[in-house]
Amino acid sequence: MASHRKSRPVGTRVAGIRTPALATAALTSVALLSQSANAAPADDRPSLEEVEKKVDDLYRQAESATDNYNAAKEKTATQRKQVDTLLDDVARRTEKLNEAREELGSFAAAQYRTGAAAPDTATFLLSDTPQDYFDQTQLMGRLTNRQKGAVDDYVSEQSATMKKRQEASQSLQTLTETQSDLKTAKATVQKKLADAREMLSELTAQEKARLAAIEKRKQEEAARKAAELAQQQAAAEKAAQETTAPQESTSTATDSSYATKAAKALAFVRAQIGKPYVWGATGPDSYDCSGLTQAAWKAAGVDLPRVTYDQVNAGTTVSLADAQPGDLVFFYDDISHVGLYIGNGMMIHAPKPGAYVREESIYYDGESAIHSVVRPA
């Protein structure tokens, strides 16, 4: 008779040992969980280097938006003055127009009383648009020379007043648009700065310490590059002195004049060290980058434009190797930052929100960040 043994459950061998199916399933689950854990990233947060780059980009974007804000603010101030001037002019002309109309009215009343003119002449002379009537030879022939002069003055003043009113209206519209641009630029700056602060606030104390270490290494590299530039400039200056005749030249006189002005700018900017960066500020208690350079050169008697992308055109471009104390050093492709060169590869600048006016290497953000060097006087 056939055997009725129960079949054994199918299992697998692990190290030569047959394991039950249930154990096999458990092992398979563990393996799958292990694979899933290995496949998923332990932390999807950005690295510190990525955080630093994003924060720096946000600060740069905020500084670029600050330039737009500064330009709109300056334009708004100019347009407001223009509007005020036009409105004052319109008011004066309107008063003069009213006086001319009163004079015409007296003529019309006298003519009506004496019967020297038809009754509709008074209505014509007191109307707002009498020009069509004035062109009629028959009517003009009935006016005296004095009356004709009054009519001509009235028409001329009315035309000029209307023109000024139109100019004032257009200027008011332009001012409104510029104020809107100013508001937009301000909101953009505030948003970029808020985003940067939020990213930094999410870092742990340990991450902040590591970020500070990264920044320190960048500063050390920047200082090394500045020292190299100082050596190169010193060598070039020595070589130039050895090959130049000891006679006074126009070039030397020009250099001396520039050095005198630059010394005043440098003395001013050194006195600002330690004051806070505040976007849109032009001193005396705080500055943004272009506000600082503008104030420094103003102390030397040189007027610079307000924003970086105008300051970069307010002088002569020179090579980095030929940079002299007092020159303006511009950064980034969008020319959104500027500092005042003080020699030896160093500058004084207002760096960014949360920082203070300080002396720093021109390589603070790497050599590729340097856009150009401009001599403003």
Side-chain angles (χ1 to χ4, degrees):
M1 189 170 71
S3 171
H4 295 286
R5 294 180 182 176
K6 293 183 179 180
S7 59
R8 294 183 180 180
V10 178
T12 57
R13 288 183 177 274
V14 178
I17 303 174
R18 187 180 297 274
T19 59
L22 185 60
T24 301
L27 288 173
T28 302
S29 298
V30 171
L32 288 173
L33 288 173
S34 177
Q35 290 174 4
S36 298
N38 291 333
D43 190 354
D44 58 357
R45 296 177 65 190
S47 66
L48 283 179
E49 288 76 8
E50 290 172 332
V51 169
E52 183 190 39
K53 185 179 184 307
K54 287 181 179 180
V55 169
D56 286 345
D57 286 345
L58 285 168
Y59 279 139
R60 279 188 52 201
Q61 292 168 20
E63 199 158 28
S64 182
T66 296
D67 262 349
N68 294 334
Y69 170 84
N70 290 336
K73 185 178 180 181
E74 190 173 44
K75 189 176 180 181
T76 298
T78 300
Q79 289 175 343
R80 185 176 285 112
K81 289 180 181 178
Q82 183 180 12
V83 167
D84 289 344
T85 300
L86 285 170
L87 290 177
D88 288 343
D89 194 11
V90 167
R92 285 193 300 269
R93 290 182 179 277
T94 300
E95 183 178 357
K96 191 174 181 181
L97 186 63
N98 290 335
E99 292 173 355
R101 182 178 293 188
E102 289 175 3
E103 185 176 6
L104 289 175
S106 66
F107 288 148
Q111 285 181 321
Y112 180 71
R113 285 194 303 271
T114 61
D120 64 342
T121 304
T123 303
F124 139 68
L125 287 173
L126 293 174
S127 65
D128 289 332
T129 57
Q131 183 61 56
D132 292 340
Y133 291 95
F134 293 157
D135 291 338
Q136 298 182 34
T137 306
Q138 183 180 3
L139 182 61
M140 291 299 289
R142 298 174 66 180
L143 302 176
T144 65
N145 289 335
R146 183 182 175 190
Q147 289 171 330
K148 288 179 180 179
V151 168
D152 289 340
D153 290 344
Y154 179 78
V155 173
S156 176
E157 194 61 41
Q158 186 187 50
S159 176
T161 301
M162 290 299 296
K163 183 178 180 181
K164 287 298 180 181
R165 284 175 178 170
Q166 291 174 351
E167 289 181 13
S169 178
Q170 292 173 353
S171 293
L172 278 170
Q173 182 178 354
T174 303
L175 176 59
T176 300
E177 293 171 353
T178 305
Q179 287 175 327
S180 177
D181 293 340
L182 181 65
K183 185 177 180 180
T184 300
K186 182 177 181 179
T188 301
V189 174
Q190 292 174 330
K191 178 65 167 58
K192 299 297 182 183
L193 296 180
D195 289 346
R197 286 193 295 268
E198 183 178 0
M199 289 194 70
L200 291 174
S201 68
E202 292 175 352
L203 297 178
T204 65
Q206 184 178 11
E207 287 173 330
K208 289 179 180 178
R210 288 171 55 197
L211 194 61
I214 293 173
E215 181 64 21
K216 183 179 179 182
R217 287 196 297 271
K218 284 179 59 177
Q219 294 298 321
E220 290 172 350
E221 175 62 16
R224 185 186 67 78
K225 293 287 293 182
E228 287 181 1
L229 178 61
Q231 291 176 352
Q232 293 170 4
Q233 290 178 332
E237 184 177 355
K238 182 178 179 181
Q241 290 175 347
E242 291 175 350
T243 57
T244 301
Q247 58 189 15
E248 188 74 17
S249 65
T250 303
S251 175
T252 303
T254 302
D255 290 345
S256 176
S257 174
Y258 177 75
T260 300
K261 294 177 181 179
K264 294 179 180 179
L266 291 169
F268 177 91
V269 79
R270 288 186 188 282
Q272 312 313 309
I273 290 177
K275 293 184 178 180
Y277 174 104
V278 174
W279 64 275
T282 56
D285 299 321
S286 58
Y287 298 89
D288 63 16
C289 67
S290 57
L292 178 64
T293 51
Q294 182 188 47
W297 271 104
K298 186 176 183 180
V302 177
D303 290 327
L304 292 181
R306 175 64 182 93
V307 296
T308 54
Y309 48 77
D310 286 333
Q311 288 185 5
V312 76
N313 296 316
T316 304
T317 301
V318 298
S319 68
L320 184 58
D322 293 330
Q324 295 180 15
D327 291 350
L328 304 175
V329 186
F330 295 91
F331 298 86
Y332 312 115
D333 292 339
D334 59 356
I335 318 174
S336 57
H337 189 68
V338 62
L340 194 71
Y341 191 65
I342 61 174
N344 296 325
M346 304 294 287
M347 67 177 174
I348 293 175
H349 69 148
K352 59 185 178 182
Y356 296 84
V357 175
R358 66 193 183 201
E359 182 177 320
E360 195 163 28
S361 166
I362 61 173
Y363 299 101
Y364 80 107
D365 202 21
E367 187 171 2
S368 62
I370 298 175
H371 178 274
S372 57
V373 180
V374 172
R375 190 157 299 153

